[in-house]
Each structure stands twice: as structure tokens, then as C-alpha cells.
Amino acid sequence: MQSFGGAVMALYRGFATTLQFAFQKKPTVQYPSVRKQHAPRFHGLHELRRYADGKERCIGCELCAIACPANAITVIGAENAPDDRRSPGERFAGRYEIDELRCIFCGLCEEACPTDAIVLTPRFEMADYRRGSFIYSKDRLLVPPDAGVGAPPDERPGGIPADLGWVTEQKSTVDIARGYDATYNGAKLKDEHKGLTLQ
Amino acid sequence: MAGVSEAMPGQFLLGKLDDVARWAQSSSVWPLTMGLACCAIEMMSVTNATYDIARFGSEVFRASPRQADLMIVSGRVAQKMGPIIKRLYDQMADPKWVISMGACASSGGVFDNYAIIQGVDTIVPVDVYVPGCPPTPDGLLYALNLIQQQIRQGGRGGILARA
């Protein structure tokens, strides 16, 4: 049986914990008006890029369709006409369709593409009412000619650099203090867990 | 209700009551506590402080299908799970809505094999599809907003929508 004073102290400690969160920064992201910043290499909706002169990057090689683990991509190549060149190569994508409902957003199409034509963007709002509206063809995937070239997928901020040496160095140690700094209420947690190091 | 207000034009109170009812209905879409696979982890994380589905009035995950309005099919549906999901859907009271969350529930995803139903819309009517593997919690909140928009514009779920 707990003493009366002990019970009061337990109540005090419990309510103090609750109360201290009332004055801290609210972690809620007010979603429809504010969008959360996802990871730099977040995989969202696809887009087909162009070169600076407006020509399509896609050369219709179908490597993305072969790499796709979900068989979500359909590419049918077509020959470039001499007077109407759509891409710098011999062929271009006559049809390019992605079934976004089947796609698992793994990014293997992005890695397989020899011309960096197919790139996953950070867009995550893709829900819709009808099943048929998820077959994205070139009219929705291809960026407009004035959209610019865009950053290649390997050179995005925070992305994996071209040589993997840096990544293997980083993986060998875990900087636990840096992890605390990145989290909400991190400084307090760091104090509590002082002495805990991970080599 | 829309039929009544059209049959008797000028009935101001009827029109407003309709709007209030839709507002109340769209602000209290209670999901069913049902997780099938990894998408359920993201479904659970919409209730946490960062995403906070309570802002839309949907934080009450009901354990009984008779008290739920919304079924979030979160994960791949195996052939053996199909009849159970159908039964849960039939036990939910009208009006009811279904979100097909993720690639597997919507179309089978990578699991194009004998064990997985290729799209949950072959057994229950789906109102909103969410692509992703898994979709982000914000993506699910967007789907919930789509359902709320549908209700406010007069959409009715379940048997009323098919009538």
C-alpha cells in the first residue's frame, strides 16, 4: 500500500510530464495547408524529362519496363522520322504508360534508364476515385518543353554521390548524438542517455 | 434528400439541413480497425501527433464493423482473406466507404500470383484508390479528404450510392 504522500507525488510527476508537453512546440503538420518535407530521395510520382533543346530524353529502349519488378511500365518504341525528330537517338517512346496503381515506387526504372529520362518526383498526392485514371501515359508523364532539364537523380541534395566511397565510410559508424539533434525534444533525450555510446 | 428539395423548390430549411447533415457526416468518418499488411503501419501512423487524423474527425478507429463508416483496406488481400473482408464490409452499416490503400490492395502490386486477389475492388466497391508502396500517411490523409469532398458534394456511400 502506497502512502498518501507517495500517491500525491506520483500524481504530480504524471501531470508534470503531461503539462510540460503543453508548452513545447507542436509537432503536428497541418497537412492540407502545409506539406511535410519528405526525405531528399523520396520516391513519388514519375515524370519523363527532356533535354535543354526540348527533345525527349526517352529513346524507347524499354530497359525500365524490363527492370520494373511489378511489370507496371509499358513502352512501345517508334522510329524517329528524319523531318520530325522527337529524341536525339534513332527511336523514341511512341507509347509510354505507367500503371501507378501497380507501381511500387522502388526507383529501379530511374536506375535502369541510360538517359535519365524517367525520374521519380517528390509528389505523393496521387489518390483518385476511378481505377482507370491511374494509367499515366505520355500526356501526363512528359514534362512541358519549358519545364527545364531538372536535376539528375544522382545529384539531388542529400542524394547518394556518384562514387560510393563516401557512403561506405558513413555506414561504418553511427553518430548517435547527431540523431538526437535531429529529433524533436532531442537535447533532453541526449542528457538522459548520457554515457550511452554506440561504436 | 436532394430529390425532396428539387420537388419542392424554395424550401430553404430543407436545403440547409441537407448541408448540415453532409457536414456532420463528412466530419465523422470513422474507420474500421483493420490492418492487413505493411500498409497498416502507415495507416496507424496517421493517428500519431505528426499527421493527426483527429483534425478530420476520423481518429476513432472502431473495433466493431457495425460502428464504422470507412474501411481502409491496407495491404495485400490473400484469397483466404477475401471472404472475411467481404463479410466485414457487409456487416458495416450504410452509408459506408472504402479506401483501397496501396498497390497490393488496389491492383495486386508486385504479387501477381495465385495467392493474392488482384485488386480488392473485385470483392467490395472501392471509393478512393491510393497508389504507393506503402503510401505516405499524408497520401492517406489526401484520400480521406477526397472522401470528405465526395460526401459534401452529395455522394453517398455503400448501398445508397448504387441505388
Side-chain angles (χ1 to χ4, degrees):
Chain A
M1 181 80 188
Q2 214 173 11
S3 69
F4 179 74
V8 169
M9 274 309 290
L11 276 179
Y12 170 75
R13 282 202 204 100
F15 283 122
T17 306
T18 310
L19 200 66
Q20 87 181 33
F21 278 91
F23 303 105
Q24 287 180 5
K25 189 172 169 287
K26 302 292 180 290
T28 305
V29 180
Q30 300 291 334
Y31 161 61
S33 43
V34 182
R35 284 182 179 79
K36 185 170 177 280
Q37 176 68 50
H38 287 290
R41 299 210 20 114
F42 177 80
H43 287 160
L45 190 65
H46 306 77
E47 69 178 19
L48 276 173
R49 294 263 176 87
R50 290 177 190 267
Y51 285 108
D53 60 353
K55 283 202 171 66
E56 295 169 17
R57 280 177 180 261
C58 181
I59 51 172
C61 68
E62 303 178 23
L63 276 180
C64 49
I66 295 162
C68 183
N71 291 331
I73 306 181
T74 306
V75 187
I76 298 177
E79 295 281 334
N80 266 319
D83 52 340
D84 178 26
R85 296 190 67 81
R86 308 277 288 275
S87 76
E90 281 179 24
R91 279 148 53 96
F92 71 100
R95 279 177 68 185
Y96 196 103
E97 285 170 5
I98 299 183
D99 185 352
E100 298 288 352
L101 268 191
R102 209 168 266 276
C103 172
I104 57 164
F105 301 92
C106 59
L108 284 183
C109 49
E110 191 181 77
E111 288 185 29
C113 187
T115 58
D116 284 347
I118 184 86
V119 169
L120 288 103
T121 64
R123 190 180 160 195
F124 60 88
E125 291 161 322
M126 291 172 279
D128 208 332
Y129 295 115
R130 285 177 306 281
R131 192 191 179 95
S133 60
F134 289 101
I135 309 289
Y136 279 62
S137 55
K138 272 179 88 176
D139 57 341
R140 282 194 283 176
L141 286 172
L142 194 63
V143 298
D146 55 352
V149 183
D154 284 346
E155 293 172 20
R156 280 185 218 150
I160 299 172
D163 60 325
L164 285 172
W166 183 82
V167 176
T168 48
E169 275 174 30
Q170 291 294 309
K171 272 186 180 168
S172 61
T173 55
V174 180
D175 189 357
I176 198 165
R178 193 171 152 227
Y180 276 131
D181 286 337
T183 54
Y184 166 74
N185 204 14
K188 191 163 173 290
L189 285 171
K190 197 158 67 175
D191 281 349
E192 284 177 5
H193 290 212
K194 204 173 276 176
L196 177 73
T197 50
L198 197 66
Q199 292 298 328
Chain B
M1 270 200 224
V4 176
S5 50
E6 279 161 22
M8 292 186 286
Q11 298 294 312
F12 183 70
L13 185 64
L14 268 184
K16 296 305 283 184
L17 201 60
D18 206 25
D19 288 350
V20 170
R22 280 178 195 155
W23 168 79
Q25 206 171 30
S26 67
S27 308
S28 62
V29 182
W30 290 357
L32 178 63
T33 309
M34 185 185 82
L36 292 177
C38 26
C39 277
I41 305 294
E42 299 292 301
M43 182 187 75
M44 287 180 249
S45 65
V46 297
T47 58
N48 73 17
T50 311
Y51 299 101
D52 200 11
I53 202 173
R55 294 178 291 132
F56 306 106
S58 300
E59 78 277 20
V60 205
F61 277 80
R62 303 311 291 199
S64 165
R66 301 182 201 286
Q67 299 167 353
D69 305 306
L70 171 68
M71 174 185 261
I72 303 176
V73 185
S74 51
R76 76 284 178 280
V77 185
Q79 298 280 359
K80 282 194 172 182
M81 201 66 195
I84 301 166
I85 286 176
K86 175 70 177 154
R87 183 167 183 177
L88 280 173
Y89 179 79
D90 289 342
Q91 284 177 338
M92 284 163 66
D94 277 312
K96 50 192 173 185
W97 291 268
V98 179
I99 289 180
S100 171
M101 181 183 180
C104 303
S106 305
S107 69
V110 278
F111 304 115
D112 190 0
N113 58 29
Y114 62 90
I116 304 294
I117 292 176
Q118 299 297 302
V120 76
D121 51 2
T122 55
I123 49 174
V124 294
V126 174
D127 290 286
V128 173
Y129 300 87
V130 194
C133 185
T136 55
D138 347 28
L140 184 61
L141 287 182
Y142 179 68
L144 180 68
N145 287 354
L146 285 185
I147 282 199
Q148 287 181 330
Q149 277 175 30
Q150 198 187 34
I151 297 170
R152 281 174 195 153
Q153 288 161 8
R156 288 168 293 185
I159 199 167
L160 296 170
R162 296 191 294 279

